[in-house]
Amino acid sequence: MLALSSVVNDVEGAIASGDPAKRVSMLRQMTGLFTAQAPRLSEDQIGAFDEVILRLSRDIETRARAELSAHLADVANAPRRVVRNLAYDPSAEVAGPVLERSNRLDESDLVQIASGAGQQHLMALSRRSTLAERVTDVIVSRGNEQVVRSVAGNQGARFSAGGFQILTTRAQQDSELGRVLTKRSDVPEAQRAQLVAIARERARRALAAEFGENAAAQATLSIAATMAEPPLDLTPAEVAVACHAKYGLDEGAVQTWLTSGETTYALVALARLAGVPSAIALNAHAAPTTDPLLFLVRSVRFGWKTLKLLLASRPGGMPDAEALQSAFQAFQDLSVATAQRVVRFTAARDKLEQPSAA
């Protein structure tokens, strides 16, 4: 503390001079002195720095206060009064660093700031490493679309039952928020069911816009029919496909497995490329119609030859000429974008309908 005592007169002089440049220069000197000694300081000693830095940092330019905030945000024992003063600054440039990263702010301060601050302040708060329910309740109520997505994607944020309900309600108009929520393991079952319903209805509307209402319902049902669990241990095939993927997994590999009779390997590879569970591909292969396989094959931009090989590998063998012609026409008519939307919907719903992690 001798170093602090030796500059007290200089601090008083800088404040009394009314010279902004001199004051900022002294602030930088004091901040550097503090951060250099911080790990060795007691709370009483920190309090002395708190008083001096607080006096110097008031009524100075925004840029200098923002610089101070950035320097103190990651200091574990930063001066509390200084950090609090910075956190309440109306400028997000100043408040942002400490709101996002400082552990020297009380929960009550975070709630109060969240209750009255602008969207940039809320965005900074949404990124904190941990957030209590009292804080997130305010953020999800006041935040804009970007803020709410950010806090929903923060795995260190905890939400009350009411907070989750607000998020679910907002997800009805924000598909990206819905996708973010599917990645959380703590969504209550009631809200998880609502998210499934929202995703299903959104997919139905998207497909209806391209196919028409009846065809959209049929497409959704056809891929949904693949959701049952197949009575087969897929571990050997999944291990083999994962190893093959290290060297490149493509349509040629799938065709090679099909022509050599390794249908399960081909289906597991198709599922991996489509981004769905292996069970979906196996059940699509066993489905009574060709539609489920059609959606999967088209979604990964595979050609007619691959679909034809898959159809030929089914228990009933190659379809008759009429059925094959019908499948070919459906293949040509189905756009890649539509197939991908149906498959994404299936994968998202599968994830949503899984039990929450303990």
Side-chain angles (χ1 to χ4, degrees), residues 16-89:
S17 72
D19 182 351
K22 187 173 182 180
R23 188 165 179 159
V24 170
S25 177
M26 181 56 63
L27 174 62
R28 287 171 176 157
Q29 182 180 340
M30 292 302 303
T31 304
L33 184 62
F34 170 75
T35 54
Q37 298 187 16
R40 300 183 295 276
L41 297 178
S42 66
E43 283 296 329
D44 287 341
Q45 292 170 327
I46 293 169
F49 274 102
D50 205 350
E51 178 66 30
V52 172
I53 295 176
L54 186 61
R55 292 183 64 193
L56 286 168
S57 63
R58 283 176 171 158
D59 303 318
I60 60 172
E61 62 183 12
T62 296
R63 184 173 61 180
R65 283 175 60 79
E67 180 183 308
L68 175 64
S69 181
H71 276 116
L72 296 181
D74 298 309
V75 179
N77 58 346
R80 288 184 184 275
R81 292 171 61 202
V82 174
V83 169
R84 190 171 186 271
N85 179 261
L86 294 169
Y88 278 89
D89 196 289

Side-chain angles (χ1 to χ4, degrees), residues 48-260:
F49 274 102
D50 205 350
E51 178 66 30
V52 172
I53 295 176
L54 186 61
R55 292 183 64 193
L56 286 168
S57 63
R58 283 176 171 158
D59 303 318
I60 60 172
E61 62 183 12
T62 296
R63 184 173 61 180
R65 283 175 60 79
E67 180 183 308
L68 175 64
S69 181
H71 276 116
L72 296 181
D74 298 309
V75 179
N77 58 346
R80 288 184 184 275
R81 292 171 61 202
V82 174
V83 169
R84 190 171 186 271
N85 179 261
L86 294 169
Y88 278 89
D89 196 289
S91 168
E93 183 183 1
V94 174
V98 292
L99 287 179
E100 182 175 342
R101 307 196 302 273
S102 180
N103 63 358
R104 300 290 268 181
L105 292 167
D106 294 334
E107 186 178 305
S108 57
D109 282 323
L110 298 180
V111 172
Q112 187 172 342
I113 292 168
S115 298
Q119 296 301 315
Q120 289 180 297
H121 289 69
L122 290 175
M123 179 60 80
L125 283 169
S126 75
R127 295 169 174 156
R128 290 180 67 83
S129 60
T130 60
L131 281 168
E133 293 178 0
R134 287 179 60 208
V135 185
T136 59
D137 277 349
V138 180
I139 294 175
V140 299
S141 297
R142 296 193 63 244
N144 62 20
E145 195 174 72
Q146 289 71 34
V147 168
V148 173
R149 289 175 184 173
S150 176
V151 75
N154 183 347
Q155 296 300 317
R158 304 273 72 83
F159 298 93
S160 65
F164 270 122
Q165 186 55 60
I166 292 172
L167 287 170
T168 303
T169 300
R170 295 189 65 156
Q172 293 177 4
Q173 304 301 322
D174 185 353
S175 59
E176 178 58 29
L177 175 59
R179 281 191 285 271
V180 170
L181 288 172
T182 65
K183 299 177 182 178
R184 298 194 65 93
S185 62
D186 55 349
V187 178
E189 288 304 317
Q191 280 70 51
R192 187 171 292 276
Q194 290 179 44
L195 289 170
V196 171
I198 291 168
R200 182 182 293 115
E201 176 58 20
R202 184 174 289 119
R204 188 199 64 76
R205 290 198 303 266
L207 293 170
E210 184 161 348
F211 280 139
E213 288 289 343
N214 291 337
Q218 209 171 32
T220 305
L221 287 173
S222 70
I223 197 71
T226 69
M227 298 299 292
E229 193 71 27
L232 181 67
D233 180 10
L234 302 180
T235 303
E238 289 180 336
V239 170
V241 169
C243 291
H244 197 287
K246 296 178 182 178
Y247 307 100
L249 192 61
D250 56 16
E251 186 172 14
V254 173
Q255 290 182 357
T256 298
W257 275 315
L258 287 170
T259 54
S260 63

